[in-house]
Amino acid sequence: MFLTDTAQNWIGLSTDTKPTAPAPGSTFFELNTGYLFIYNGYAWVPRDVMADGLTVNYKQISLNQAAANYTVMTATTQNLFIDAVIVHVPDNLSAVAAFTGITVQTNDVSAIEILSAAAGAKALLTGNFYHVYRGPAVTAATKVIQLTISGATAGAGKVADITVLWRPVVAGGYYLNA
């Protein structure tokens, strides 16, 4: 069992930089989005189940892989509302020479673009980078949210944390992590 009496609580905006390396269990409430983030000892993640029927899926993707598409999660059986997607890159990747960036999108017929930090936008991937995509957008049943790595690998231990806040359009739909 892990107990701590040093957890702290902060209130700010989604554009504010969240504290780095606080005690696990510390919280950050975003006034402009209404989201409560909890520090799990590695990253800031939204609490497990949000109000109003929102559910949260979390997936960490290694950026130490070849340039390709990597499935984050797949919609099953029914269409889903994507209410928000939070992409967190804890390390500074802007100076990694052969790595040209990442994008996060769905593979729907009309893709939902969540983040484009490839080519000239790679400079955005500075240390402790957060990007919040706000929906709602509807992704079709069986479609995936994917992260695309461009160029060479970012290096050992480099990751992207992806948190998706979603709800079913009708009963029976859910996301399955890859």
Side-chain angles (χ1 to χ4, degrees):
M1 177 188 241
F2 178 78
L3 297 174
T4 182
D5 59 1
T6 59
Q8 295 178 287
N9 303 304
W10 289 274
I11 298 173
L13 299 175
S14 61
T15 55
D16 292 336
T17 301
K18 292 173 181 60
T20 56
S26 294
T27 63
F28 188 98
F29 179 74
E30 293 181 349
L31 286 169
N32 59 326
T33 66
Y35 296 138
L36 177 67
F37 288 80
I38 300 172
Y39 191 75
N40 67 3
Y42 177 74
W44 288 99
V45 295
R47 67 183 193 186
D48 289 338
V49 178
M50 305 300 277
D52 302 320
L54 291 178
T55 304
V56 176
N57 277 53
Y58 168 79
K59 178 77 175 180
Q60 185 175 82
I61 301 287
S62 170
L63 300 178
N64 191 27
Q65 301 179 76
N69 295 331
Y70 295 93
T71 298
V72 176
M73 54 197 66
T74 304
T76 62
T77 68
Q78 301 291 339
N79 294 354
L80 300 172
F81 283 109
I82 299 172
D83 286 292
V85 179
I86 298 103
V87 180
H88 173 233
V89 178
D91 297 304
N92 186 348
L93 305 180
S94 63
V96 179
F99 174 77
T100 57
I102 60 172
T103 59
V104 179
Q105 67 283 327
T106 67
N107 69 345
D108 287 279
V109 173
S110 295
I112 301 168
E113 184 178 303
I114 296 164
L115 167 70
S116 180
K122 181 181 90 163
L124 295 174
L125 298 176
T126 59
N128 214 25
F129 168 81
Y130 278 90
H131 172 76
V132 179
Y133 165 85
R134 294 295 306 250
V138 177
T139 190
T142 74
K143 296 302 181 180
V144 303
I145 295 175
Q146 62 191 14
L147 178 141
T148 303
I149 297 173
S150 304
T153 72
K158 307 300 189 226
V159 298
D161 300 307
I162 302 173
T163 304
V164 179
L165 289 75
W166 62 271
R167 56 196 158 97
V169 173
V170 297
Y174 60 94
Y175 271 119
L176 181 64
N177 282 14

